[in-house]
Amino acid sequence: MVNMQQRGASMKHATERGDGRIAYIDALRGFNMIILVLVHVHGFCFSIEADTPSVVCYLGVMMLPLFFFISGFVAYRTRTTWSIPQAAKLLGRKVPLLIMPAFIFLLVYTITHGQNLAISLCMDSKNGYWFTYVLFICFVLYVLLRLTAKLLSLKGWKEDLFAVCCGIALFVATVPSIMSKMSISDNLLGMLSFKHWYYFVFFIFGTLVRKHFDGFQELLSRKLLLTVCLLIFFVLSIFKDAVMATHFNLYRIMTALTSVIIVFALFWKYRTLFSNQTLTGRSLCFIGRRTLDIYFLHYFLLPRQLSEVLPVFTQHPMPVLEFTVSLGVALIVTVVCLFISTVLRLSPLLAFVLFGSKEK
């Protein structure tokens, strides 16, 4: 009983804004957004290959899975009554937030970079703007999953098992060797960004962690789960080449899952540091509440010719120096994105059209 009260108190302490948001989750989202910009500086600006020794390569392993995990975590609602009207209402709210801004920014990006919009839409990457499309698809799949579970009268652990099986099935379906056997055109697969649907398994993981959060916190407090995750992650990292050569998909999902748990545990353990009572917490929370703004804007601000100015990083790997310079550039890009976002949000119309934000 005491432990339950302590966990409840810690959750209440972490939720400080009065709107139901958990401060350290916002901070975690903000931290991950900085990592995303950092990874893009590393790859797009310095043109450093994925197999080059670098700290950023290991951060990239958890970056996207963590975003989908957080999205699932905050999407779960205990008291939601699942029905078709309720599902339609939920998805309707996501269209102006995830689909409309992505299309507008993709349109502007293709025009300003002399590219073809139709070709970009048929690409898996969509010039980088695939994330919100796939996130919207995750919400669609999750709604269908919950409606199906209700139709089949699945509750408790049966509903959880059904969700896990659906996530794993979609992960398997996106394995390249499986995708190559599908009788679906490449253009359609690209338009759907189907190969990225495997992130749905992390979205499901996030919903289950939120659903059973008391138990998950208990596991984190006992340190065993974290110890196992650390061991698995570092062993797989040490023997990366050997494991990837024979078990690429196992390596991909295990490193992603363990790194997500490790980073989440870090923010959970030091949630006081990442609360709204500290400068670090307030800064990361602000970034965390503007993640989509930064995501949409940062592609226009990446200095893509840095590899010509500082070619030494591609010729002579220096992980620490390369990480420091990349982080500095990433922070500058992030701050500029926040400034532009703040200016654009002065107009309620632009705030809604570009970022899906409604004036409160």
Side-chain angles (χ1 to χ4, degrees), residues 53-77:
S54 173
V55 177
V56 179
C57 292
Y58 292 99
L59 294 174
V61 168
M62 64 87 184
M63 175 189 69
L64 288 170
L66 184 57
F67 268 127
F68 284 93
F69 169 84
I70 296 172
S71 297
F73 184 90
V74 300
Y76 179 79
R77 295 290 185 274

Side-chain angles (χ1 to χ4, degrees), residues 69-97:
F69 169 84
I70 296 172
S71 297
F73 184 90
V74 300
Y76 179 79
R77 295 290 185 274
T78 304
R79 299 178 180 178
T80 300
T81 301
W82 289 99
S83 62
I84 293 179
Q86 179 69 22
K89 183 179 179 181
L90 170 65
L91 297 178
R93 291 199 303 266
K94 298 301 178 183
V95 170
L97 181 65

